[in-house]
Amino acid sequence: MKAEGWLWAGGAAYYVVLGLIYLGVGGEPAGLALVFIAAAFGGLVAGWIWGARRHDGAPRPKDRADADAPDQVGVVGVYPTASLRPLALGTGMTAVVLGVPIGSWMTIGGLAIVASQVALLVRDLDR
Amino acid sequence: MTTVAPDPRLVTVDEVLAARPHHPGGLPATLVGWLTTTDHKAIGVAYAVTSMLFLAVGGLLAGLIRVELARPGLQLVDEATYNSLFTIHGSVMVFLFAVPFGFALANYLVPLQIGAPDLAFPRLNALSYWLYLLGGLVMLGGFLTDGGAAGFGWFAYPPLSGPQGSPGLGADLWIVAILLTGTSGTLGAVNVVATVSTMRAPGMTLFRMPILTWNLLLTSFMILLVFPVLSGAMIMLEADRQFGTHFFDPTAGGSPILFQHLFWFFGHPEVYIIALPFFGVVSEIFPVFARRPIFGYRGLVLATLAITALSTSVWAHHMFVTDQVVLPFFAATSFLIAVPTGVKVFNWVATMWTGRLRFEVPMLFGLGFLVTFVGGGLTGVMLASPSLDFHLSDTYFVVAHFHYVMGGTVVFALFAAIYFWWPKVTGRMLSRTLGTIHFGLLFVGFQMTFFVMHALGRDGMPRRVADYAEVDGFAGMNMIATVGSGVLFVSMVPFGMAIVTSLRQAPTNDADPWAANSLEWAASSPPAHHNFDWLPPIRSERPVFDVRWINHDDIAAPGVAAAWNARRNKDPHWSPIPGNGAAGGDGDGDGDGGGRR
């Protein structure tokens, strides 16, 4: 994760420098806000990565140049089977937003779909 | 092309796969299977097919535009319909075709290129796809509304896009569609970043990832940075329209210029969000068909990082004519971005320079990409100069520029990708003859259509007008462009024929038909469920090349033979290649290190 950490930290540092230069040349407030938010965003992810790295300790096999497949045996991940939830959730989200110009009845219906699908997804994950 | 006798010591991926138990693969066979799939390969194919269908829709709208402009006078549609045509054409091409095809590549290829069984969040991935499809349908639904589809241009400047400027429902549907597709893109980017960061195979360090995966990672970084800004701007715009707020209403203290800043903070990186995946595509293709490693791997990665950073610092060069931006700052950053872009072009040319080129169809399209992209890049440098931009802004010169950069670049590299990875996805090859005809027609048609637009713009033809006068002198060049667009349509015929004939023939299931480099070619064709029945040791950015040349210690990457021996010592099951690690040259004495078989 070290390289990933540097990547995000480098991005954050770049936007700090860019923002200061833009401030120096008289940049407008919207652009300044966007650039400094970008810096904060990069810093947030970099901070999380550094924290995770400290927590994990030893480098992961994917970060070691001399690692090979047998160094990472066992369960790689648990993957879901086919699921109708993403389609239903997407339909609900579409209805929520589409209801703004069309009518609140559609937004309410969409919210019901979203709530039910999120609940079902959480139940799926608990199994 | 020189014919070289195959070296018996070369190892093929198919030999390795034949020695191991194979798990079935393939795409869903039923409608229910497609509606419920969470498999990254199926979703990748769904993204690709859907984006190609939207390309057809966008192309049809472009055809109507070209027919309308072929001669002076209004002959096909009225002005309001024309406004909807160019607005939805641009929106479809940007939001529903070009960006999603990048996600098709990310979905299908990122897990395969890094040795992962799927993306990190498969259900989130499926949700991203459905939001994209539904968003696209909502946008096109605007044509069915009373006032017609949105007609304010793909960047929706208020006050034209506000409640007074565009009162119809079509405009609202456009805004909703952008929100949905933007959310889809953001969720997709989260998936790519998480997958690349946490699911690489052992030994696949960041600097051993294929350039395509690097580019998709950095594309996702840009998406995370700028798509939420666009979504924010759309929410504010819809609030102005529906809830009576005045964010962008100048008559009530709002600022249309604020919208332009928000939009272009998204809009310029969007150019690179569209282009970077396709830069990655040709970075995979050129080394394979030049039979050389990519020139300056780290330089290419650093150039991509520089482009990523600089692309978010040039947004207001789209606003030079507002007289509300710091001209020297944005002109300087815009010129600067030409440097890493030039580095990329240099590296691609250098990769081919002393290579032994094979002009297979993906390579032809790759070269078409290179020519078109350099053309668009050069006019981009011209437009970065405020003094030229003042003259050329909102003319057909700009239309020509961005169709070279965002149209030609994408389309040529997209077809390069399709011809290159089709054998991996389907286990079948596409016809070389039909592919060559397809390329020839597309290249001629593209240049005919868009090159003359530079001259039209220089002579002052404004964009987004449905008509012009005979005395303007634009008729001849417009007719050439319209005929060229007809050639573009015709070019799709051999492509369609190639697809149909390929799907009708029996699969060869050749895992590595191009003698390629990256990890996806170590999987069967089509890949098994959860992708890999085996993984080769990863000691360079070309693990499959290293497998092929394992019996040549001076060609395969250092440490590969030792890794195979270590596997054999731990478990013979891990070493399917007999006699690996034997020293010796490549047998033909050319020292090319190339991947011929």
Side-chain angles (χ1 to χ4, degrees):
Chain A
M1 292 284 262
K2 192 175 174 185
E4 286 93 333
W6 280 115
L7 211 57
W8 289 95
Y14 169 78
Y15 288 114
V16 169
V17 173
L18 180 75
L20 292 175
I21 294 172
Y22 193 47
L23 184 66
V25 299
E28 37 65 54
L32 283 170
L34 291 170
V35 170
F36 283 122
I37 288 171
F41 168 68
L44 186 75
V45 182
W48 183 88
I49 289 175
W50 286 114
R53 184 168 163 256
R54 224 172 37 185
H55 179 262
D56 291 348
R60 306 169 303 173
K62 54 184 74 52
D63 297 322
R64 282 173 35 214
D66 62 344
D68 195 8
D71 295 328
Q72 185 175 285
V73 292
V75 177
V76 177
V78 179
Y79 285 91
T81 55
S83 171
L84 199 58
R85 313 255 186 274
L87 173 56
L89 186 57
T91 308
M93 290 169 72
T94 304
V96 169
V97 191
L98 206 50
V100 173
I102 290 182
S104 53
W105 59 270
M106 186 177 273
T107 298
I108 292 167
L111 282 172
I113 297 173
V114 169
S116 65
Q117 294 309 307
V118 168
L120 288 168
L121 276 168
V122 171
R123 192 195 66 168
D124 290 350
L125 289 172
D126 284 344
R127 284 182 170 178
Chain B
M1 188 168 68
T2 309
T3 304
V4 181
D7 184 334
R9 289 181 299 164
L10 282 177
V11 174
T12 69
V13 172
D14 287 306
E15 289 169 3
V16 180
L17 290 174
R20 304 187 59 80
H22 176 61
H23 298 94
L27 299 169
T30 63
L31 179 62
V32 172
W34 280 104
L35 293 176
T36 58
T37 185
T38 55
D39 174 21
H40 75 99
K41 296 183 290 294
I43 295 172
V45 170
Y47 261 111
V49 171
T50 310
S51 65
M52 292 302 283
L53 290 174
F54 280 122
L55 170 67
V57 172
L60 190 66
L61 299 175
L64 294 173
I65 292 170
R66 283 313 324 159
V67 171
E68 179 56 59
L69 291 175
R71 289 167 36 187
L74 286 175
Q75 42 259 326
L76 195 66
V77 294
D78 57 31
E79 282 95 342
T81 307
Y82 185 86
N83 289 346
S84 293
L85 288 182
F86 71 70
T87 298
I88 303 300
H89 160 71
S91 306
V92 164
M93 290 304 201
V94 171
F95 295 108
L96 305 181
F97 157 61
V99 174
F101 199 89
F103 274 112
L105 296 171
N107 260 278
Y108 201 94
L109 292 172
V110 162
L112 284 165
Q113 289 203 325
I114 64 171
D118 204 315
L119 285 168
F121 309 116
R123 277 177 288 212
L124 190 71
N125 191 31
L127 173 63
S128 303
Y129 169 75
W130 292 116
L131 285 176
Y132 152 57
L133 177 63
L134 292 166
L137 295 176
V138 167
M139 184 187 289
L140 295 183
F143 281 113
L144 304 176
T145 61
D146 275 346
F152 39 58
W154 79 276
F155 38 76
Y157 281 174
L160 182 59
S161 59
Q164 282 82 39
S166 303
L169 179 62
D172 294 295
L173 295 188
W174 186 91
I175 293 167
V176 167
I178 300 302
L179 263 175
L180 291 170
T181 54
T183 306
S184 158
T186 306
L187 298 179
V190 167
N191 229 330
V192 172
V193 171
T195 304
V196 172
S197 299
T198 63
M199 295 180 65
R200 302 190 308 274
M204 178 66 80
T205 60
L206 275 187
F207 279 94
R208 285 179 184 165
M209 290 196 311
I211 295 286
L212 174 60
T213 295
W214 259 112
N215 284 22
L216 290 166
L217 172 68
L218 294 172
T219 300
S220 300
F221 174 81
M222 281 193 284
I223 287 174
L224 289 178
L225 211 58
V226 303
F227 270 37
V229 176
L230 175 71
S231 296
M234 290 299 129
I235 290 169
M236 292 159 79
L237 183 59
E238 188 62 7
D240 275 8
R241 294 175 60 85
Q242 296 293 332
F243 304 131
T245 58
H246 302 285
F247 290 111
F248 307 126
D249 178 6
T251 62
S255 169
I257 296 293
L258 170 63
F259 180 88
Q260 295 193 25
H261 277 293
L262 296 176
F263 185 87
W264 288 116
F265 191 79
F266 147 82
H268 195 82
E270 171 77 347
V271 175
Y272 293 95
I273 287 168
I274 288 172
L276 278 189
F278 297 101
F279 291 178
V281 165
V282 297
S283 299
E284 298 298 309
I285 287 173
F286 287 149
V288 171
F289 296 105
R291 287 178 284 183
R292 289 199 58 203
I294 190 81
F295 181 89
Y297 171 90
R298 281 176 185 257
L300 264 177
V301 172
L302 291 175
T304 312
L305 282 165
I307 288 173
T308 304
L310 285 167
S311 74
T312 43
S313 59
V314 300
W315 73 90
H317 73 211
H318 296 270
M319 301 163 58
F320 281 163
V321 290
T322 63
D323 197 29
Q324 303 276 312
V325 299
V326 189
L327 292 181
F329 178 85
F330 288 106
T333 51
S334 303
F335 284 129
L336 263 181
I337 206 166
V339 176
T341 312
V343 168
K344 278 181 170 289
V345 173
F346 176 80
N347 284 19
W348 291 327
V349 173
T351 300
M352 291 182 276
W353 192 254
T354 56
R356 292 191 305 168
L357 304 183
R358 286 188 296 169
F359 292 101
E360 299 285 352
V361 179
M363 185 66 165
L364 293 178
F365 277 101
L367 293 171
F369 153 89
L370 194 55
V371 170
T372 312
F373 175 67
V374 169
L378 290 175
T379 53
V381 174
M382 294 166 72
L383 288 168
S385 164
S387 51
L388 277 173
D389 186 83
F390 290 145
H391 174 66
L392 296 168
S393 191
D394 278 335
T395 70
Y396 259 79
F397 190 90
V398 176
V399 178
H401 160 69
F402 72 67
H403 277 89
Y404 266 74
V405 172
M406 294 171 75
T409 296
V410 169
V411 169
F412 282 106
L414 170 145
F415 283 117
I418 290 174
Y419 281 93
F420 188 61
W421 278 291
W422 179 266
K424 178 54 59 186
V425 176
T426 66
R428 298 167 166 87
M429 299 296 285
L430 285 166
S431 162
R432 186 177 181 181
T433 306
L434 289 169
T436 306
I437 296 169
H438 174 204
F439 167 73
L441 288 170
L442 188 74
F443 190 80
V444 170
F446 183 87
Q447 307 302 338
M448 266 183 83
T449 306
F450 296 109
F451 190 78
V452 292
M453 290 184 188
H454 294 104
L456 277 171
R458 181 205 59 198
D459 293 348
M461 179 166 170
R463 65 194 292 199
R464 297 176 173 170
V465 290
D467 192 14
Y468 52 90
E470 187 77 50
V471 293
D472 291 334
F474 301 145
M477 285 186 281
N478 269 306
M479 181 56 81
I480 291 172
T482 300
V483 172
S485 67
V487 178
L488 284 176
F489 275 99
V490 172
S491 76
M492 292 301 117
V493 174
F495 174 64
M497 289 168 63
I499 296 283
V500 171
T501 53
S502 173
L503 289 175
R504 281 185 174 177
Q505 70 193 23
T508 57
N509 299 116
D510 191 351
D512 184 22
W514 305 116
N517 297 324
S518 45
L519 206 50
E520 73 270 28
W521 303 102
S524 54
S525 299
H529 288 307
H530 293 159
N531 297 343
F532 290 98
D533 296 318
W534 76 301
L535 278 174
I538 298 159
R539 290 294 176 272
S540 74
E541 74 274 16
R542 299 192 294 169
V544 171
F545 173 90
D546 293 334
V547 169
R548 211 162 38 246
W549 294 86
I550 185 62
N551 292 321
H552 303 72
D553 273 358
D554 55 341
I555 294 178
V560 175
W564 279 115
N565 288 329
R567 285 189 180 190
R568 181 187 287 132
N569 293 339
K570 282 184 183 173
D571 181 355
H573 180 71
W574 280 102
S575 184
I577 299 178
N580 65 328
D586 67 349
D588 62 5
D590 62 2
D592 64 337
R596 88 272 185 280
R597 300 168 60 191

